Amino acid sequence: MSRAPIAHPPLISAWAQAPSIPGWRALESALCVLFLFLYSQALIGPLFADPADPESSAILRLIWLPVYAATLALMLLRPGGVARAVFGNPLLMGLLALTLISVLWSVESGTTIRRSFALIMTSCLGVWMAVRWSWSEIVVRIASAFGFIAVLSLVFALVVPSIGVDYVVHDGAWRGVFWEKNTLGAMMAWGSIACLAALACDPRHRMVWGALAALCVGLVLLSTSKTALLSLMLGGGGLMGIVLSRRGFGFAALMLFGLLTGASFLALVLLIAPVELIEALGRDATLTGRTDIWVVLIDQVMARPWTGYGYQAYWADEQGPMHWVRLATSWDVPTAHNGWLEVSLAIGLPGAVVMAVLLLNALRRALSRLYRGLETYWALPFLAMMALISISESNLLVQNDLGWVLFVMTAIKLGDRRAC
């Protein structure tokens, strides 16, 4: 005997489903692109904050509050999907929880509370994006945000060169709407991949995406960022490898991607830690000083390997642990310049292991879709580029950061078997 379907009160039904208000989808899409732009900190950061201490800007802090509130409201409109995303990704949620729990042993508890809350709210946008949009829709919105950033960077470099071009530290290098050239380069490397992936997902506007991809590549070159150029080569090679694989040239694609990956990692190592090779040529083996920082920070990690110093707490107090790093290196070190060291300093080696498992698992899932699905055009190159950049930049587990939003979204979406 079959049972009649259970009738829910109108209020509960309305809350459990997305609204069908005319124009609501367009509003959600616009908010998504706007929030991605804000998390890139393009334009807003250089105008309102000190790059050495963004947290000191009252305007920037106020900007995030309505973004967090709107993100929560959007998530509440899709409780079922959000619940599946949260409970279906225990490692990711555990990692976020660990940053908050680290306040118990943090050397700067106030900083840890504020920034771990910001990290959780940043992650919420990635969760909502994974729940709300299909893969094709996500890629198009990401590409739209990067395209807008690219056009703005071009305009500011040409019209307001005092902001868009660096004439002090790296004379003539473009920095667009960011604090410095390396950020522009990294963002545009991701942007070029996003626009090329959008070309596959939205072929009706192939001319637009092709032009924006070319602009992004041009901005990478104008930024003169070597790490960004290597990242672009790796991401572009990944895209080419995917295309070749799907056309029956699997071995050639594997060789191409393998060679580009190896060459990119080798070039990056030679760039930041050349050691014997560069010393043999009579050059300074530490180059940018990263190796000096890493040697000291490894000792700092091993002093508190299980807990770290609290999320984002290590660099918060000039008289705290970082004092010894600056004393040993004889310069004002701002970050670890390595994503894995940064995570280890924040929440210990266990946290770094969880982060590595999350990244490797996402890469495995992306590789498993090598021959199917449009999402691979975005996911695989993005994750490979993120892994490469993490060697020389503190780009993992960062609050109010576009890269972390995109990682959370990509990791969750790849784990959703129902995603399309």
Side-chain angles (χ1 to χ4, degrees), residues 137-200:
E137 292 169 332
I138 285 174
V139 170
V140 166
R141 281 150 184 79
I142 293 173
S144 298
F146 278 121
F148 182 52
I149 293 170
V151 171
L152 271 184
S153 293
L154 176 65
V155 170
F156 269 79
L158 296 177
V159 179
V160 193
S162 59
I163 294 178
V165 181
D166 188 347
Y167 293 110
V168 179
V169 181
H170 305 281
D171 190 23
W174 282 30
R175 59 189 180 190
V177 288
F178 296 98
W179 279 307
E180 47 94 31
K181 71 181 186 73
N182 289 333
T183 307
L184 174 66
M187 289 291 175
M188 293 300 97
W190 279 341
S192 63
I193 299 304
C195 290
L196 288 173
L199 194 151

Side-chain angles (χ1 to χ4, degrees), residues 6 11 13 36 55 68-69 71 81 108 132 143 146 166 182 199 248 283 331 342 395 402:
I6 300 174
L11 182 60
S13 297
L36 291 175
E55 297 289 327
Y68 297 160
T71 302
E108 183 59 49
R132 173 61 184 90
F146 278 121
D166 188 347
N182 289 333
L199 194 151
R283 298 280 301 278
W331 69 290
E342 204 72 74
N395 67 325
L402 178 58

